[in-house]
Amino acid sequence: MKDLFDLTGKVALVTGASRGIGESIARLLAQYGAHVIVSSRKIDGCEAVASSIRDAGGKATALACHVGEMEQITQAFETIKKDFGKLDILVNNAAANPFFGHILDTDLGAYNKTVDVNIRGYFFMSIEAGKMMKEQGGGVILNTASVNGVTPGDMQGIYSITKAAVISMTKSFAKECGKLNIRVNALLPGLTDTKFASALTTNEQILNHALKVIPLGRVADPDEMAGTVLYLVSDASSYTTGTTVVVDGGMLA
Ligand SMILES: NC(=O)c1ccc[n+]([C@@H]2O[C@H](COP(=O)([O-])OP(=O)(O)OC[C@H]3O[C@@H](n4cnc5c(N)ncnc54)[C@H](OP(=O)(O)O)[C@@H]3O)[C@@H](O)[C@H]2O)c1
C-alpha cells in the first residue's frame, strides 16, 4: 500500500530550521524521505541541524537566508535552482517578534522588522517557490502562522497583525494557485517551548496566566507541531488547500 506520508524524492525548504519548531519540522520531513534544505540567517546553526540529519541517515543541506532581505531571497532561490533544479515543498516558518509591549508604544523600527520578515518575507518566498512549482507542475506551501493571528496576543499587537496577514495570504495563494496544482495551508501553533516564546514561558506570572486558558494545561513541545506539518505537505492531505490547522492544546476553544 502507498504510504501517504512518504516524501521520498521531494526537495523541501524549511525556513527558521536551525532551532525550535522549524528544526522539528526539518527533522521529521527528512525522516519521511525528503531532502531538506535547512535555512535561517546563520549558516552555523543550519549546518549543525543538517549534519545531524545526515548522521541519522537523512538527506539535508544548509542554506543561509534572511527572509527580511529581498536580495537574500533571490539569491537563495538561485542556489536552489542551480543545486536541485526543483522545489516540491516550502515551509515558511521563520518569523520575527521584536516588540513585546503596549500597541501604542510600537515604533517604526519594530513595525518594519515584523512586517518585513513575517509578511514580505513569507509573500516573496511563496512567489519564488510558486514560480518554480508552476513550471514543474505542482508543489506544496505551508505557512507557520499562530493562534495570535485569530485572537491577538496580549502586548503582541503588530506580531499578531502579521500572523493574521499570513492566514489571509495562505487563502489568497491557495485560491490563485490551486489550478497550478499548488496547495497552500497554514499551521497555527499555540504556546510552544522555544527561544521565541521564552519571554512568556520563563515568566512565572505570564506562564501561569497562559496555562489557565490551555485545556491541556501545558506548553507544547516543538516536536508536537511537526506531525501536522508532515500531514499538510504530504499526499495524506492531497485535497486540502487554503485552510488552517490549529495546534494549541485547545486554547482557542
Ligand atoms: N513558540 C511559540 O510559542 C509560537 C507560537 C505560535 C507561532 N509560532 C511561530 O512558529 C515559528 C517558529 O518559531 P519558534 O518558536 O520555533 O522560534 P525559535 O525557536 O526562536 O526559532 C526561530 C528560527 O527562525 C530563524 N530566524 C529568525 N529570524 C529570521 C529571519 N529574519 N530570516 C530567517 N530565519 C530567521 C532562527 O535562526 P537564525 O537566528 O539563525 O536566523 C531560528 O531558526 C514562527 O513563525 C513563530 O511565529 C511560535
Side-chain angles (χ1 to χ4, degrees), residues 5 30 33 49 62 67 79 121 127 139 145-146 150 177 182 191 216 246 248:
F5 297 98
V49 172
V67 300
T79 304
I127 285 184
S146 169
V150 178
C177 298
I182 301 170
L191 190 57
L216 288 185
V246 177
D248 68 345

Side-chain angles (χ1 to χ4, degrees), residues 98-139:
F99 177 67
F100 185 79
H102 197 281
I103 197 163
L104 296 181
D105 296 326
T106 315
D107 66 24
L108 184 61
Y111 173 90
N112 282 340
K113 182 167 173 98
T114 315
V115 170
D116 287 357
V117 174
N118 300 6
I119 302 182
R120 194 181 67 189
Y122 277 46
F123 187 76
F124 284 99
M125 292 290 288
S126 300
I127 285 184
E128 292 281 356
K131 284 179 178 167
M132 285 185 78
M133 291 169 181
K134 178 183 175 186
E135 257 182 43
Q136 74 204 24

Side-chain angles (χ1 to χ4, degrees), residues 162-180:
T162 64
K163 290 299 184 175
V166 169
I167 294 170
S168 177
M169 192 187 307
T170 301
K171 294 176 186 173
S172 294
F173 273 89
K175 278 183 96 165
E176 296 199 36
C177 298
K179 293 231 164 50
L180 304 173

Side-chain angles (χ1 to χ4, degrees), residues 15-23 39-43 45-46 65-68 92-96 113 117-118 122 144-148 159 163 188-197 200 222:
T15 71
S18 63
R19 60 173 188 262
I21 294 171
E23 178 181 355
S39 188
S40 81
R41 289 168 300 183
K42 298 176 204 114
I43 193 69
C46 298
C65 177
H66 185 323
V67 300
N92 272 320
N93 171 76
K113 182 167 173 98
V117 174
N118 300 6
Y122 277 46
T144 305
S146 169
V147 289
N148 289 356
Y159 170 76
K163 290 299 184 175
L188 272 57
L191 190 57
T192 309
D193 190 13
T194 68
K195 186 178 174 201
F196 196 82
L200 308 178

Side-chain angles (χ1 to χ4, degrees), residues 80-103:
I80 292 167
K81 279 175 203 154
K82 179 168 63 68
D83 292 354
F84 297 93
K86 68 164 188 164
L87 184 69
D88 303 292
I89 297 164
L90 167 66
V91 179
N92 272 320
N93 171 76
N97 189 10
F99 177 67
F100 185 79
H102 197 281
I103 197 163

